[in-house]
DNA sequence: GTATGCTTTCGGC
DNA sequence: TTACGGCCGAAAGCATAC
């Protein structure tokens, strides 16, 4: 079962201030460059009806909604995180296993609770929704299916406040008519490639011989596409240990390609990332710099280390090197936004096992 | 030549 | 008129090993 909180940030804001409920509400990330510069994080369904979307420039959303009595708010992550924790706690209580995917999404394994009986799903979900509604005054959209893949695709089928139950015998019926690009794991490029093979729908994909898919996409991907198109997925619902990566990005006061002026920013971002690493007792084995140029194109450079580090000075000096490299690669444009990312995270004091050491040789 | 893993870019929210 | 965040995991592209 997959649970997705509806238009989460904006819904929390409506909850905090009921006078917002019948108005367009737009939750924004202000960059600080000018009073109105920034982008839309999310908007309620009234604002969406007028065409407001995530990622849109705030000034454009303002124009679309002018005269519509719209409310623009700055994101309040502290609040959303707190509310998220409470809701996730509730959801966790309803499953035998729990997996949080993001601030507003989670899977629970309810196989045992439902005794494998999908007829019980509707009533069960009603109970989950009722609890979240009464304790936190929030709605969500829910998908129930025989595995995570189907549950995830089902929860986005009807929203907001939706419920879609896909019983095992109905899996094919559910997937078949969808465009192949809707299948989890298939992006634009792969969809294009599929189109050239005459594959438009998930049904088309399911009909292709697995050997043919392996020939075209390689063993790993080919096998995955074949199984997914047939509704088969064996990924367990499991606790996520910690995030896979951690990053911090900020808009510069003005566009520049002057290294000296960016070093203090890079240092500050590194320190903020380091604090978050420490909070979770993590170190990192990969360090990267991210830039968004004045034309909003994104570029990045990263380096994998020989061994994980937690040393801030090491991280800072690598980042400066990477930024220098990036400036040499990309000689034409100024940098608008600058970021720091660490990945290949592991818990301090624990060495990640190298699988080959334990592999049984035959 | 192919499979794999690493790096870079994309896309959802 | 134009307008443009921050964060994450997924997808795509690329390099290397066999």
């Amino acid at each position: 079962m997959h649970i997705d909180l509806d238009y989460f940030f904006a819904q929390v804001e409506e909850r905090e201030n009921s006078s917002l409920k019948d108005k367009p509400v737009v939750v924004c990330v202000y960059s600080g460059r000018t009073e109105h510069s920034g982008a839309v994080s999310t908007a309620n369904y009234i604002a969406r009806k007028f065409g407001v979307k995530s990622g849109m420039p705030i000034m454009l959303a303002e124009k679309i909604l002018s005269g519509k009595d719209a409310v623009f708010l700055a994101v309040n992550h502290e609040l959303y995180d707190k509310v998220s924790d409470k809701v996730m706690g509730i959801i966790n209580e309803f499953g035998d296993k729990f997996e949080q995917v993001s601030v507003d999404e989670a899977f629970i394994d309810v196989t045992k609770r439902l005794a494998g009986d999908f007829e019980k799903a509707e009533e069960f979900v009603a109970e989950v929704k009722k609890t979240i509604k009464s304790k936190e005054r929030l709605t969500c959209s829910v998908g129930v299916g025989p595995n995570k893949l189907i549950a995830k695709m089902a929860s986005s089928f009807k929203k907001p406040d939706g419920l879609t139950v896909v019983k095992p015998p109905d899996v094919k019926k559910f997937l078949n008519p969808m465009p192949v690009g809707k299948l989890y794991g298939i992006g634009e490029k792969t969809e294009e490639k599929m189109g050239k093979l005459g594959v438009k729908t998930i049904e088309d994909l399911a009909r292709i011989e697995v050997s043919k898919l392996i020939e075209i996409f390689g063993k790993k991907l080919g096998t995955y596409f074949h199984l997914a198109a047939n509704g088969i997925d064996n990924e367990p619902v499991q606790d996520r240990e910690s995030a896979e990566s951690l990053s911090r990005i900020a808009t510069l006061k003005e566009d520049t390609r002057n290294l000296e002026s960016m070093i203090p920013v890079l240092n500050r971002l590194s320190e903020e990332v380091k604090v978050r690493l420490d909070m979770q007792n993590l170190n990192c084995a990969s360090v990267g710099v991210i830039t968004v140029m004045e034309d909003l194109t994104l570029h990045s450079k990263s380096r994998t280390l020989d061994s994980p580090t937690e040393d801030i000075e090491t991280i800072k000096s690598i980042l400066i090197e990477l930024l220098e490299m990036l400036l040499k690669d990309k000689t034409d444009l100024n940098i608008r936004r600058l970021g720091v990312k660490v990945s290949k995270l592991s818990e301090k004091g624990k060495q990640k096992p190298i699988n080959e050491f334990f592999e049984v040789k035959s």
Side-chain angles (χ1 to χ4, degrees):
Chain A
M1 173 166 149
H2 181 255
I3 301 173
D4 196 343
L5 293 160
D6 299 320
Y7 62 105
F8 182 52
F9 297 172
Q11 204 193 346
V12 171
E13 297 292 351
E14 285 180 0
R15 180 190 93 161
E16 297 302 299
N17 180 353
S18 59
S19 75
L20 301 179
K21 270 204 326 192
D22 50 357
K23 297 176 183 173
V25 176
V26 186
V27 179
C28 303
V29 182
Y30 290 96
S31 68
R33 221 176 225 209
T34 68
E35 195 187 348
H36 297 272
S37 75
V40 171
S41 181
T42 193
N44 69 357
Y45 278 78
I46 302 176
R48 289 182 198 194
K49 204 178 62 196
F50 293 110
V52 174
K53 291 198 170 75
S54 290
M56 176 181 274
I58 293 166
M59 280 190 259
L60 180 54
E62 286 173 341
K63 188 183 162 192
I64 291 176
L65 294 174
S66 75
K68 301 285 190 301
D69 198 22
V71 177
F72 288 79
L73 300 166
V75 284
N76 180 356
H77 280 289
E78 221 176 307
L79 172 64
Y80 313 141
D81 287 350
K82 211 167 71 189
V83 176
S84 170
D85 283 350
K86 288 199 171 170
V87 176
M88 291 300 157
I90 294 169
I91 295 172
N92 190 9
E93 291 295 314
F94 280 95
D96 300 309
K97 291 179 199 155
F98 169 80
E99 175 175 349
Q100 184 171 347
V101 183
S102 70
V103 69
D104 65 350
E105 257 179 77
F107 289 100
I108 46 175
D109 187 333
V110 293
T111 311
K112 280 190 200 147
R113 308 259 176 141
L114 300 181
D117 182 0
F118 279 74
E119 301 300 332
K120 294 177 181 168
E122 209 156 310
E123 199 183 332
F124 184 85
V125 171
E127 192 62 31
V128 175
K129 283 186 170 228
K130 201 178 89 187
T131 310
I132 295 173
K133 185 78 196 176
S134 68
K135 293 203 166 150
E136 293 300 325
R137 298 172 7 245
L138 293 170
T139 65
C140 57
S141 294
V142 178
V144 181
N147 56 53
K148 277 166 62 171
L149 174 76
I150 301 300
K152 167 93 183 165
M153 292 176 71
S155 72
S156 49
F157 193 72
K158 182 171 185 285
K159 49 170 69 170
D161 202 12
L163 166 60
T164 305
V165 179
V166 181
K167 298 171 197 169
D170 300 334
V171 165
K172 290 286 211 167
K173 206 163 39 183
F174 176 69
L175 291 178
N176 277 344
M178 293 191 192
V180 72
K182 291 254 173 176
L183 193 67
Y184 194 73
I186 296 187
E188 197 191 334
K189 292 297 166 88
T190 309
E191 184 171 20
E192 231 171 79
K193 217 164 156 183
M194 295 271 184
K196 284 183 185 145
L197 299 165
V199 174
K200 301 275 186 219
T201 63
I202 296 182
E203 180 172 23
D204 297 338
L205 180 58
R207 286 178 191 279
I208 307 247
E209 285 291 330
V210 62
S211 55
K212 171 114 185 176
L213 291 174
I214 290 173
E215 200 180 293
I216 299 161
F217 296 101
K219 192 172 164 187
K220 200 172 151 162
L221 269 179
T223 309
Y224 170 76
F225 290 154
H226 174 74
L227 293 173
N230 284 281
I232 300 164
D233 164 40
N234 294 314
E235 289 303 308
V237 174
Q238 58 191 339
D239 238 29
R240 302 217 174 178
E241 311 247 320
S242 64
E244 294 180 10
S245 70
L246 206 154
S247 62
R248 182 79 181 78
I249 182 164
T251 302
L252 300 172
K253 279 203 284 294
E254 55 209 12
D255 298 354
T256 181
R257 36 187 304 111
N258 177 271
L259 182 66
E260 292 305 315
S261 74
M262 286 187 282
I263 287 176
V265 180
L266 215 47
N267 285 342
R268 201 182 66 241
L269 296 172
S270 313
E271 280 155 23
E272 289 174 18
V273 163
K274 165 73 173 157
V275 167
R276 289 165 61 195
L277 275 176
D278 285 347
M279 280 193 307
Q280 301 178 66
N281 196 39
L282 297 171
N283 54 29
C284 62
S286 175
V287 175
V289 65
I290 301 164
T291 61
V292 175
M293 315 307 286
E294 55 192 335
D295 66 351
L296 302 181
T297 57
L298 180 144
H299 299 274
S300 65
K301 291 271 176 208
S302 68
R303 182 185 297 168
T304 296
L305 314 174
D306 296 331
S307 60
T309 187
E310 55 193 274
D311 180 54
I312 184 76
E313 295 309 323
T314 307
I315 293 171
K316 283 179 179 174
S317 66
I318 292 171
L319 285 169
I320 292 167
E321 264 185 66
L322 291 172
L323 182 55
E324 277 183 304
M325 284 171 58
L326 198 149
L327 284 167
K328 275 181 195 153
D329 265 20
K330 198 77 202 142
T331 53
D332 49 342
L333 293 167
N334 285 319
I335 293 173
R336 179 181 177 94
R337 298 161 63 199
L338 183 62
V340 166
K341 164 169 159 165
V342 293
S343 58
K344 300 190 183 169
L345 309 178
S346 57
E347 213 162 314
K348 277 185 214 165
K350 277 190 192 170
Q351 177 121 12
K352 262 219 159 161
I354 312 266
N355 287 332
E356 290 144 56
F357 286 0
F358 301 103
E359 201 175 14
V360 180
K361 301 279 181 188
S362 56

